[in-house]
């Protein structure tokens, strides 16, 4: 992460406390103020990571080394971050939240043992595309927030390899559509990814996010519950926790809407009762007033 941006985050925590980096709503408000609308890319990346729950997990963990490795892998799979980006943001959070200065072990840092010689691979025909290289290019576009490039790259992969296209091509394109607020297209891509990899909980969870953003909470709950079924209780504990919290929030939102309607009905009933009482009191007052007038008039005539 940018050194100046890291310093700003340290200042933010020193003045506002760790909650300013753990609570996504507070983080969004404070970041805009402290960065003065600069560091747009870093600010957006950090907000995504905070919303994913990584900052809270790092702040509360008792095993920092294991936590950092798990969170770096989690961000790669959940937010489709490149390994270097995921590692950098995890290291920065561990540093500013816990004072940890040990770097997370990155892929390739350890020397690899020599491999036995293997037969040379057959040359690739000129017209046969390298899907892995194309996916790498898509990931680089995602890191640069070039969502149009992501969609273009994934669409090309799907076009040239319709029978062998990986589910991730649809999953990544779905994330790009979401970022561009093309939610129906995102749902279609997540659904296609699920049909290709029905045991991958990430696609259910991402589609659940989109259903939440479009107000379809019942479907979101179903997807989060389905994601939990396909997550490993140990390796995916953080994802399970996040999905469980989202399910609770969705149910609360649904029940909260019903409570508001009940409150409105109770208020209407109270107003009707109050109006009826007023009408009855007014009628009684008019009757009493008329009776008094009649008695006074009779007395006057007698006199």
């Amino acid at each position: 992460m940018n050194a100046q941006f890291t310093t700003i985050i340290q200042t933010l925590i020193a003045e506002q406390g760790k909650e300013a980096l753990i609570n996504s709503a507070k983080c969004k408000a404070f970041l805009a103020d402290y960065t003065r609308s600069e560091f747009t890319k870093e600010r957006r990346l950090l907000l995504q990571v905070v919303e994913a729950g990584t900052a809270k997990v790092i702040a509360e963990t008792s095993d920092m080394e294991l936590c950092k490795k798990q969170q770096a892998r989690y961000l790669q799979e959940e937010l489709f971050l490149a390994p270097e980006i995921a590692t950098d943001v995890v290291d920065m959070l561990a540093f500013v939240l816990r004072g940890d200065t040990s770097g997370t072990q990155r892929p390739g840092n350890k020397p690899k043992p020599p491999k036995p010689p293997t037969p040379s691979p057959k040359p690739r025909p000129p017209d046969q595309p390298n899907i892995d290289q194309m996916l790498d290019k898509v990931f680089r576009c995602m890191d640069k927030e070039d969502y149009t490039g992501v969609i273009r790259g994934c669409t090309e992969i799907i076009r040239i390899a319709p029978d062998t296209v990986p589910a991730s091509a649809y999953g990544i394109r779905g994330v790009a559509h979401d970022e561009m607020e093309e939610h129906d297209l995102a749902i279609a891509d997540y659904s296609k990814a699920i049909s290709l990899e029905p045991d991958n909980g990430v696609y259910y969870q991402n589609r659940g996010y989109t259903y939440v953003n479009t107000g379809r909470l019942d479907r979101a709950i179903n997807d989060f519950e389905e994601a939990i079924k396909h997550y490993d209780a140990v390796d995916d504990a953080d994802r399970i926790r996040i999905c469980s919290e989202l399910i609770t929030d969705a149910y609360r939102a649904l029940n909260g809407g019903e409570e508001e309607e009940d409150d409105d009905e109770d208020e209407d009933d109270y107003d009707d009762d109050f109006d009826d009482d007023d009408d009855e009191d007014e009628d009684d007052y008019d009757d009493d007033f008329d009776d008094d007038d009649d008695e006074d008039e009779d007395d006057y005539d007698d006199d």
Side-chain angles (χ1 to χ4, degrees), residues 49-123:
V49 172
V50 170
E51 289 174 352
T54 295
K56 183 177 181 180
V57 173
I58 290 175
E60 298 175 352
T61 186
S62 58
D63 189 341
M64 182 60 71
E65 181 179 359
L66 177 61
C67 176
K68 288 168 64 177
K69 290 179 181 179
Q70 290 178 339
Q71 288 303 308
R73 185 168 67 106
Y74 171 71
L75 294 178
Q76 293 174 48
E77 298 175 354
E78 177 72 15
L79 302 182
F80 300 105
L81 298 183
E84 295 80 6
I85 301 293
T87 299
D88 283 344
V89 70
V90 166
D91 283 344
M92 188 272 285
L93 287 173
F95 173 65
V96 298
L97 287 170
R98 301 289 295 275
D100 179 82
T101 57
S102 62
T104 301
Q105 182 66 49
R106 305 185 186 191
N109 283 359
K110 292 182 179 179
K112 296 180 180 180
K115 295 182 179 180
T118 56
S120 300
K122 295 180 179 180

Side-chain angles (χ1 to χ4, degrees), residues 55-279:
K56 183 177 181 180
V57 173
I58 290 175
E60 298 175 352
T61 186
S62 58
D63 189 341
M64 182 60 71
E65 181 179 359
L66 177 61
C67 176
K68 288 168 64 177
K69 290 179 181 179
Q70 290 178 339
Q71 288 303 308
R73 185 168 67 106
Y74 171 71
L75 294 178
Q76 293 174 48
E77 298 175 354
E78 177 72 15
L79 302 182
F80 300 105
L81 298 183
E84 295 80 6
I85 301 293
T87 299
D88 283 344
V89 70
V90 166
D91 283 344
M92 188 272 285
L93 287 173
F95 173 65
V96 298
L97 287 170
R98 301 289 295 275
D100 179 82
T101 57
S102 62
T104 301
Q105 182 66 49
R106 305 185 186 191
N109 283 359
K110 292 182 179 179
K112 296 180 180 180
K115 295 182 179 180
T118 56
S120 300
K122 295 180 179 180
R124 183 187 302 275
D127 59 342
Q128 184 175 348
N130 189 321
I131 301 299
D132 291 337
Q133 290 181 358
M134 297 181 71
L135 281 174
D136 287 341
K137 186 179 293 185
V138 166
F139 279 119
R140 288 197 294 271
C141 289
M142 182 67 77
D143 292 339
K144 297 176 183 177
E145 299 180 10
D146 177 12
Y147 302 120
T148 301
V150 171
I151 294 172
R152 186 185 304 115
C154 290
T155 302
E156 182 65 11
I157 293 173
I158 295 168
R159 184 187 69 80
I160 64 180
D163 297 328
T164 59
V165 59
S168 58
Y170 287 101
I172 299 168
R173 193 172 69 172
V175 173
H177 279 309
D178 256 338
E179 292 291 343
M180 299 180 70
E181 298 186 1
E182 298 169 345
H183 299 305
D184 289 339
L185 294 176
I187 290 172
D189 276 342
Y190 294 141
S191 299
K192 182 62 178 179
I194 290 171
S195 70
L196 295 174
E197 285 187 22
D199 293 331
N200 192 325
V202 171
Y203 301 134
Y204 292 101
Q205 185 172 350
N206 284 348
R207 191 173 67 178
Y209 287 139
T210 309
Y211 281 140
V212 169
N213 291 334
T214 54
R216 288 172 274 190
L217 299 181
D218 289 333
R219 294 187 179 185
I221 291 171
N222 291 336
D223 270 353
F224 292 140
E225 290 177 342
E226 194 66 29
I228 292 175
K229 294 178 184 177
H230 296 291
Y231 283 149
D232 184 90
V234 177
D235 293 340
D236 300 315
D238 291 332
R239 294 179 181 175
I240 293 174
R241 175 184 56 80
I242 291 172
C243 285
S244 299
E245 292 175 354
L246 290 168
I247 291 172
T248 301
D249 291 343
Y251 274 122
R252 185 180 297 116
L254 288 172
N255 293 333
E258 294 175 1
E259 291 175 359
E260 289 179 3
E261 292 177 3
D262 292 341
D263 290 343
D264 292 340
E265 292 177 1
D266 292 342
E267 185 174 346
D268 292 340
D269 292 342
Y270 176 80
D271 290 341
D272 292 341
D273 293 341
F274 188 79
D275 290 341
D276 291 342
D277 291 341
D278 283 348
D279 292 340

Side-chain angles (χ1 to χ4, degrees), residues 6-60:
T6 301
T7 302
I8 291 174
I9 300 304
Q10 285 181 287
T11 304
L12 168 61
I13 294 177
E15 295 179 355
Q16 305 297 337
K18 293 181 181 180
E19 184 68 17
L21 200 60
I22 295 175
N23 183 292
S24 59
K26 291 183 178 180
C27 183
K28 185 175 183 179
F30 283 127
L31 277 180
D33 183 37
Y34 275 72
T35 61
R36 299 179 182 178
S37 300
E38 298 179 358
F39 303 101
T40 303
K41 182 178 180 180
E42 290 84 353
R43 188 170 70 246
R44 183 166 186 170
L45 173 62
L46 182 58
L47 281 174
Q48 287 179 318
V49 172
V50 170
E51 289 174 352
T54 295
K56 183 177 181 180
V57 173
I58 290 175
E60 298 175 352

